[in-house]
């Protein structure tokens, strides 16, 4: 008798659970939320779309690395000559109008090498090479040509390119992200239309990029730049590019 009573209690409990689950499904349907379509293994069906947003900006700042390279058979003499020449370079940049905080030493290097520039009998003599470079921020782009001329006249014989940039890219980045998301949504809606399905909510979104493509003039050496300075430096336009990947549910 006790066994039959226990069986009845269990059956009633199971029936209550089933009725509760059915009621929840009815309530969800009545609330207007579309049920998620799932595959045979129970995973949610999704659609992935990609989008790119690009915004062009005029550069308002530039970076250039300028250096002095000296060599001598005596290490101390090479260092002394380089120190004097490097100080003359920094003084010339300051006199030109570059702020002290916009000049930063980025490299100081001493190494030995063999000198093939002079005649030798059995073995080329060993010389000591000293390199000292400064990273310079140029905030007035129209002055770049004159600045480089000043640097070369002050003794710079290593100039490593010019890279243009935009000091404040926040508004452009936001606009590029907006364009990228819109492009991804357009692609998703197009794909959904071709596949005859309806898009649901966004499951995941990832953003990539956001860094401008560097624009610059490459090269090094005083001789190369003495020729290049005859040509005006043109900053062109920078492109801020953002890519997004969005995953949508399929209803």
């Amino acid at each position: 008798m006790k066994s039959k009573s226990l069986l009845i209690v269990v059956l009633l409990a199971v029936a209550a659970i089933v009725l509760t689950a059915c009621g929840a499904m009815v309530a969800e349907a009545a609330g207007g939320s579309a049920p998620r379509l799932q595959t045979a293994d129970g995973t949610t069906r999704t659609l992935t779309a990609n989008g790119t947003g690009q915004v062009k900006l005029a550069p308002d700042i530039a970076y250039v690395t300028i250096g002095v390279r000296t060599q001598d058979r005596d290490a101390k003499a090479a260092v002394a000559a380089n120190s004097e020449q490097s100080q003359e370079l920094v003084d010339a940049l300051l006199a030109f109008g570059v702020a002290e905080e916009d000049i930063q030493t980025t490299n100081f290097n001493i190494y030995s090498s063999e000198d093939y520039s002079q005649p030798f009998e059995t073995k080329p003599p060993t010389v000591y090479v000293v390199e000292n470079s400064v990273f310079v921020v140029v905030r007035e782009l129209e002055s770049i040509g004159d600045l480089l001329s000043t640097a070369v006249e002050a003794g710079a014989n290593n100039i490593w390119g010019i890279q243009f940039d935009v000091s404040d890219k926040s508004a452009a980045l936001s606009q590029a992200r907006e364009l990228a998301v819109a492009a991804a949504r357009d692609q998703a809606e197009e794909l959904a239309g071709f596949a005859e399905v309806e898009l649901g909510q966004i499951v995941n979104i990832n953003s990539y990029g956001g860094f401008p493509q560097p624009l610059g003039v490459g090269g090094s050496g005083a001789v190369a730049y003495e020729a290049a300075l005859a040509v005006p430096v043109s900053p062109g336009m920078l492109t801020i590019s953002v890519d997004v990947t969005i995953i949508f549910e399929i209803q």
Side-chain angles (χ1 to χ4, degrees), residues 2 6 18-19 21 38 41 51 53 56 60 63 110-111 133 140 146 167 188 190 197 212 223 225-226 237 243 245:
K2 290 182 179 181
L6 181 59
V18 173
L19 290 174
Q38 295 183 333
D41 60 359
K56 291 188 179 295
D60 60 6
Y63 312 108
I110 303 176
Y111 60 92
S133 302
E140 297 181 4
D146 292 336
S167 54
E190 182 180 39
V197 296
V223 176
Y225 259 91
E226 284 174 350
M237 296 291 288
D243 298 310
T245 298

Side-chain angles (χ1 to χ4, degrees), residues 100-118:
E100 186 174 355
E101 59 268 23
D102 289 336
I103 303 174
Q104 180 184 25
T105 299
T106 56
N107 177 58
F108 183 81
N109 193 24
I110 303 176
Y111 60 92
S112 61
S113 179
E114 294 181 335
D115 185 11
Y116 292 92
S117 63
Q118 302 295 329

Side-chain angles (χ1 to χ4, degrees), residues 2 24 44 51 67 73 87 100 130 133 141 150 164 174 182 189-190 192-193 202 205 209 243 245:
K2 290 182 179 181
T44 302
R73 295 186 181 184
Q87 187 59 54
E100 186 174 355
V130 181
S133 302
L141 297 187
T150 299
F164 298 100
S174 180
E189 291 176 350
E190 182 180 39
I202 293 176
I205 181 169
D243 298 310
T245 298

Side-chain angles (χ1 to χ4, degrees), residues 59-210:
D60 60 6
I61 196 170
Y63 312 108
V64 58
T65 300
I66 305 174
V68 173
R69 183 181 185 276
T70 58
Q71 69 178 41
D72 197 283
R73 295 186 181 184
D74 181 74
K76 291 183 178 180
V79 171
N82 190 283
S83 297
E84 180 180 357
Q85 201 167 328
S86 296
Q87 187 59 54
E88 291 178 1
L89 169 63
V90 171
D91 291 341
L93 293 174
L94 292 172
F96 185 83
V98 179
E100 186 174 355
E101 59 268 23
D102 289 336
I103 303 174
Q104 180 184 25
T105 299
T106 56
N107 177 58
F108 183 81
N109 193 24
I110 303 176
Y111 60 92
S112 61
S113 179
E114 294 181 335
D115 185 11
Y116 292 92
S117 63
Q118 302 295 329
F120 58 89
E121 295 181 358
T122 58
K123 181 181 178 181
T126 297
V127 295
Y128 294 91
V129 180
V130 181
E131 296 176 336
N132 192 346
S133 302
V134 292
F135 180 79
V136 182
V137 180
V138 184
R139 302 186 185 277
E140 297 181 4
L141 297 187
E142 64 276 6
S143 69
I144 290 181
D146 292 336
L147 183 145
L148 294 179
S149 293
T150 299
V152 171
E153 291 170 1
N157 50 20
N158 276 327
I159 299 179
W160 300 99
I162 305 170
Q163 181 176 336
F164 298 100
D165 199 359
V166 178
S167 54
D168 184 4
K169 298 181 280 290
S170 56
L173 278 170
S174 180
Q175 185 180 357
R177 293 187 187 108
E178 181 181 4
L179 293 173
V181 170
R185 183 174 289 277
D186 289 343
Q187 184 189 85
E189 291 176 350
E190 182 180 39
L191 292 173
F194 292 152
E196 298 182 350
V197 296
E198 293 292 332
L199 292 179
Q201 63 184 1
I202 293 176
V203 176
N204 189 31
I205 181 169
N206 287 305
S207 175
Y208 313 91

